[in-house]
Amino acid sequence: MTSIYIPYGTTEGQTAKIAEFVADVVRAHGYEALAVDVKHAGGTIPDGYDAVIVGASVHIGKHEDYVRDFVKKNRAVLDRLPSALFSVSLSAHGDAENAEGYVEKFEDETGWRPAQVGLFSGALLYTQYGFIKRLVMKKIASDKGSPDLDTSRDYVYTEWDGVKRFAEDFLAKVA
Ligand SMILES: Cc1cc2nc3c(=O)[nH]c(=O)nc-3n(C[C@H](O)[C@H](O)[C@H](O)COP(=O)(O)O)c2cc1C
């Protein structure tokens, strides 16, 4: 049976949720999927998978360094198997050019040019941030003219229909 490996990097948890959602979409289509946090994975893509979807989120202008290193280390497998990348950021919510720029930088750093790329809006998780991070994120949101400044709650921008389409487009190519 076709099985898909979904290694991801996450700092506040939204990319983990998206990776698990992608895995659920894959399973709903009758295939196998395993979403794993790169921090806790073995460092290499295990044998036996037919395709790989890598996820990472953006902080201070770049994706997680450990995802970059993971991709560099596993370049040969990613080039051999059908593979895709999804990038999670706030820029994906209304500033696609910026969101694309992060992916271009990631591609330049890793040398990996995934055939399919998803740009997904992340979340402002004010209630999970520490004091300083909460202030900084509120200031950034305010500077961008966002109305989402109530730090007693979270704002999730991820469009799950788009994530589902991304997973199904990938499956259509792999299956
Ligand atoms: C400290 C911090 C810095 C961030 N920097 C950026 C950034 O430079 N560009 C951007 O588009 N989003 C930025 N974000 C938004 C994150 O990409 C967004 O919150 C995403 O959902 C995080 O995913 P994660 O929960 O999987 O780590 C930042 C968020 C935080 C908390």
Side-chain angles (χ1 to χ4, degrees):
M1 186 195 280
T2 302
S3 59
I4 300 185
Y5 194 61
I6 309 171
Y8 63 84
T10 190
T11 305
E12 283 91 28
Q14 190 63 14
T15 308
K17 284 197 185 127
I18 295 172
E20 292 295 349
F21 181 90
V22 170
D24 285 343
V25 173
V26 171
R27 289 184 204 116
H29 283 262
Y31 305 108
E32 286 178 0
L34 180 66
V36 286
D37 187 330
V38 169
K39 273 194 292 266
H40 309 305
T44 51
I45 296 170
D47 289 339
Y49 285 93
D50 303 294
V52 184
I53 302 175
V54 177
S57 61
V58 174
H59 290 78
I60 321 188
K62 62 188 180 68
H63 295 87
E64 286 88 1
D65 287 345
Y66 60 86
V67 180
R68 178 202 60 205
D69 294 345
F70 177 85
V71 165
K72 280 168 102 169
K73 188 171 173 192
N74 290 278
R75 259 295 298 288
V77 179
L78 290 168
D79 286 343
R80 181 168 52 80
L81 296 179
S83 60
L85 169 72
F86 69 86
S87 166
V88 179
S89 68
L90 284 183
S91 297
H93 184 65
D95 189 352
E97 204 178 313
N98 224 11
E100 280 164 19
Y102 300 138
V103 169
E104 276 166 30
K105 187 167 156 190
F106 186 78
E107 290 182 349
D108 288 346
E109 283 176 359
T110 58
W112 178 45
R113 313 256 163 218
Q116 188 182 336
V117 175
L119 303 175
F120 300 146
S121 308
L124 265 179
L125 303 178
Y126 286 127
T127 64
Q128 292 184 32
Y129 302 152
F131 181 70
I132 301 286
K133 207 190 251 193
R134 195 156 54 234
L135 277 187
V136 169
M137 294 312 289
K138 183 178 177 181
K139 169 96 171 60
I140 290 172
S142 169
D143 289 350
K144 287 189 186 297
S146 167
D148 300 341
L149 306 175
D150 177 359
T151 57
S152 69
R153 54 158 290 188
D154 296 331
Y155 297 89
V156 176
Y157 306 108
T158 309
E159 288 163 12
W160 299 102
D161 284 353
V163 178
K164 184 165 182 264
R165 270 197 308 278
F166 166 86
E168 289 176 341
D169 286 351
F170 185 71
L171 276 180
K173 283 179 241 157
V174 171

